[in-house]
Amino acid sequence: MNYLNEVTLSGLLHHLNRKKDHTYFPFSVRHENLWTDGTIRKDFLSARAFPAEVQEKLGTMEENTPIRVKGVLRTSKGSGELYLAVLEVEALNELGTLENTVNVSGAVHVIKAQAEGETGTGKYTRFAVRQENQELDGHSRRDFLVVRVYDEGLREVLAEKNDGDPVRVQGTLRSSRGSGVNYIRCAKIE
């Protein structure tokens, strides 16, 4: 089945230590924006580049280079943490207006442990968008893309859905201020 999974993000390149045995180029995108309390919020959004040409391009860029990346969301097979699998990268002359859009579809996966939470911006309900895809080598791959729903109206829409129901989510990619773990902040749910 084909699922929607599109991410476009701009920010500053933040290099991470690369281990010799990595088959990918690990980095993060520092995305800064004005927060609800008037402060600047810094998200460090985990990313991995698998295509050789993207790895080469990133390897030549300096720390804090303004970039725009496009890719898909995946979950790590080891930790289950969400990351952006980068398919394209472009160096920018300047950041200008920051981009941060996520569009994903799949099946609702109800998270039973810690499904509710609260941060400085309010209460949220947490669930995952389950996607089942095939790897290039033919093996099946299951990703659980974690979503936080803050808006009360959107939480009501989610409450009407059952585990396994089809779902489409639009939002932004964020990192938790406490753990640094990435998640999708829901702006629209269908």
Side-chain angles (χ1 to χ4, degrees):
M1 178 174 227
N2 290 330
Y3 297 104
L4 181 64
N5 191 332
E6 304 169 337
V7 179
T8 301
L9 182 64
S10 64
L12 300 174
L13 174 62
H14 177 69
H15 288 288
L16 300 175
N17 290 333
R18 185 174 185 185
K19 296 179 183 173
K20 290 181 182 180
D21 61 343
H22 276 163
T23 58
Y24 58 87
F25 188 103
F27 67 102
S28 65
V29 178
R30 191 173 84 214
H31 187 87
E32 297 179 7
N33 54 61
L34 191 60
W35 204 236
T36 54
D37 63 2
T39 61
I40 298 294
R41 178 183 166 107
K42 295 178 185 178
D43 285 301
F44 286 86
L45 305 168
S46 300
R48 298 177 181 178
F50 290 92
E53 62 275 7
V54 177
Q55 289 187 39
E56 287 176 27
K57 195 181 263 190
L58 285 163
T60 65
M61 294 179 183
E62 293 184 25
E63 181 84 7
N64 293 319
T65 298
I67 59 172
R68 176 185 298 117
V69 295
K70 292 184 179 184
V72 297
L73 292 176
R74 294 284 184 245
T75 50
S76 173
K77 289 182 180 179
S79 65
E81 290 186 9
L82 190 67
Y83 68 89
L84 174 60
V86 175
L87 304 173
E88 298 174 30
V89 64
E90 172 188 4
L92 304 172
N93 292 328
E94 59 182 53
L95 274 180
T97 303
L98 289 176
E99 297 175 78
N100 189 340
T101 59
V102 174
N103 291 295
V104 295
S105 67
V108 171
H109 176 77
V110 176
I111 297 174
K112 294 179 178 128
Q114 299 176 340
E116 303 283 324
E118 188 169 359
T119 65
T121 57
K123 293 182 180 182
Y124 64 85
T125 301
R126 204 169 66 113
F127 78 104
V129 175
R130 186 180 73 231
Q131 293 188 338
E132 297 185 35
N133 298 297
Q134 269 194 307
E135 297 277 15
L136 295 174
D137 64 6
H139 287 89
S140 69
R141 176 186 181 97
R142 186 178 286 174
D143 288 300
F144 295 90
L145 312 175
V146 177
V147 180
R148 288 185 186 179
V149 184
Y150 284 87
D151 180 83
E152 184 61 38
L154 296 175
R155 287 173 38 198
E156 290 173 12
V157 171
L158 177 61
E160 295 174 10
K161 295 192 176 288
N162 295 309
D163 197 61
D165 284 351
V167 66
R168 180 177 174 175
V169 172
Q170 294 176 344
T172 56
L173 189 59
R174 297 285 184 222
S175 63
S176 172
R177 283 188 171 181
S179 65
V181 172
N182 290 346
Y183 64 91
I184 301 166
R185 184 176 175 118
C186 182
K188 184 177 180 182
I189 188 170
E190 301 172 346

